[in-house]
Structure formats: structure tokens, C-alpha cells
Amino acid sequence: MDGYLDRYRRIRIERCRDALEMNGFEVHLADDPLHARKIVIEEIVPRTGARTVSWGDSLTLQATGVLDIIRNDPNFDFVETFDSAVPWNEIIERRKRALLADLFFTGTNAVTETGMLVNLDMIGNRVAGITFGPKHVVIVVGRNKIVPGLDEAMMRIKKYAAPINAMRHPGFKTPCVKTARCMDCSNPRRICNTWMIIEKCYPKGRIKVILIDEELGL
């Protein structure tokens, strides 16, 4: 990789880190998914003292391998909220239980260079877990999610992340699956229902953000 590109990306990540820290988030920088996993498992999780753990859908999180470690560790009560073999009503009940977990893992649709987290959900369990309930929240973010400000964050989600997310779920027939852009539809499987914008982390340090210097997730 050319040195000037590395420098450009590092400056943006560090700017984002500084802004998030000013807004009360705990922030870690990781070189790649393996480094992020090391930070989570060896530094963050032991400090939380967590026993019950759950998660909100995130391709970036899955890339780190953190979930596999937590699921297979008998010291944790893992609340699995995504399992195609489990009836939908039971999945909903599990997602409610996840809001009482000690530790909640997920990703974010966008993070601004001014230090805000921006997300858009279909059901709302992911944004609910981020904003309220779990004692600790860990969010893993690829550098491709970093945008200048709120307008760019919302545009990124509506024009890019949401349509692709709909495409990766079999059976979703929303207009964006065909057009590759948000059509502000009224489809019953619409995934763009609940916005979340976090300007400040409360209480301070509850949300831990790991910025990964790779392009990951949607």
C-alpha cells in the first residue's frame, strides 16, 4: 500500500477517534479484525466482568471471530438472537432478553468524523441495545463507515448500506433490492424504520468503539 494512502486513512481514523473520545465514548484503534479480537477478548471483556452476552447483527463483528469465542466459553451465558432454526416468536423474546445483558456486541452503519454513531434498523432491537439496557456495549467499525458528518451518514445508509442489507436477506422483496437505492417504500419487509443518532455516550465509557483500519461490513 502506498504510504500516502496509509497516512490519509490514519489521519481520518485518528480524527474520528479523537471526536468520539470527546463525546464520551471509549475508543480503540485496531489494525485488522484479528487485532480487534485481541482487544475485545483480552482487554475489554475482562474489565466488564460480563456473564450474560448478546449481539445485534453485524458482518464486521462476525469477521473478528469474537462471537465464536464467546459462544464456546462456558463462563458466558450467550443469548443467541439469530438462529433460523428457532421460531420467530422465540427470537423476539430472546432479543428482549438481550436488552438485559451485561455486554452487547454489534456494529454501526456509519460513524462521523465529528464523533456520532448513526444507525437505521428494521425492528429496532439493535439500536435499542446500543442506546439503553446492556451495561456495556462494544461496537466494531471498519474504516469504510467513517463519513464527514450527519448528512453523509444518512445518505450512506439510505443509498448504500440499507439496500445491500436487504439484498443479503433471502425473501426480502423491497423495491431497493431491484433498484439498489432507497425508494421510501411501504413494503411490509421494509428495513428502514428506526433511526438512531448518538451524539454523546451516556454514561461516559459505556459504549466502546473499535475502529478497524480495514474496509469491513456494509
Side-chain angles (χ1 to χ4, degrees), residues 151-167:
D151 289 342
E152 292 85 356
M154 298 179 81
M155 181 175 295
R156 180 188 191 279
I157 294 168
K158 296 284 276 188
K159 300 289 182 65
Y160 179 75
I164 296 182
N165 198 33
M167 291 175 185

Side-chain angles (χ1 to χ4, degrees), residues 27-217:
V27 188
H28 301 262
L29 300 184
D31 297 327
D32 51 42
L34 182 61
H35 187 198
R37 182 174 69 195
K38 181 180 177 66
I39 292 171
V40 171
I41 298 301
E42 297 184 8
E43 298 181 33
I44 296 177
V45 172
R47 283 194 286 109
T48 67
R51 287 296 173 262
T52 56
V53 182
S54 193
W55 71 298
D57 197 14
S58 168
L59 293 176
T60 304
L61 175 62
Q62 293 180 60
T64 67
V66 165
L67 289 179
D68 294 331
I69 294 174
I70 297 294
R71 283 191 182 105
N72 295 310
D73 191 327
N75 292 312
F76 299 108
D77 175 13
F78 187 75
V79 182
E80 180 56 81
T81 54
F82 294 88
D83 188 341
S84 60
V86 176
W88 181 244
N89 288 344
E90 172 61 22
I91 289 295
I92 293 298
E93 290 304 313
R94 292 186 185 187
R95 291 181 183 183
K96 292 178 181 178
R97 285 170 49 204
L99 300 181
L100 300 176
D102 297 325
L103 178 59
F104 187 80
F105 288 102
T106 190
T108 188
N109 295 135
V111 56
T112 73
E113 291 183 12
T114 56
M116 294 188 292
L117 300 180
V118 186
N119 285 280
L120 182 60
D121 260 13
M122 178 182 182
I123 297 173
N125 61 292
R126 181 174 62 105
V127 299
I130 295 173
T131 58
F132 181 78
K135 295 177 182 178
H136 303 275
V137 176
V138 173
I139 294 178
V140 289
V141 191
R143 68 188 181 205
N144 49 305
K145 306 290 187 71
I146 299 174
V147 296
L150 182 58
D151 289 342
E152 292 85 356
M154 298 179 81
M155 181 175 295
R156 180 188 191 279
I157 294 168
K158 296 284 276 188
K159 300 289 182 65
Y160 179 75
I164 296 182
N165 198 33
M167 291 175 185
R168 78 182 182 94
H169 288 87
F172 277 43
K173 305 296 184 181
T174 54
C176 62
V177 171
K178 294 183 177 181
T179 65
R181 61 181 301 170
C182 177
M183 304 301 291
D184 193 20
C185 71
S186 297
N187 190 285
R189 303 303 294 276
R190 174 184 168 117
I191 67 171
C192 301
N193 295 317
T194 304
W195 282 100
M196 180 211 77
I197 301 170
I198 298 184
E199 295 188 21
K200 302 283 185 179
C201 177
Y202 181 85
K204 184 177 180 179
R206 173 180 171 268
I207 300 176
K208 300 102 169 68
V209 179
I210 302 177
L211 297 173
I212 306 174
D213 195 10
E214 281 191 11
E215 297 194 3
L216 298 163

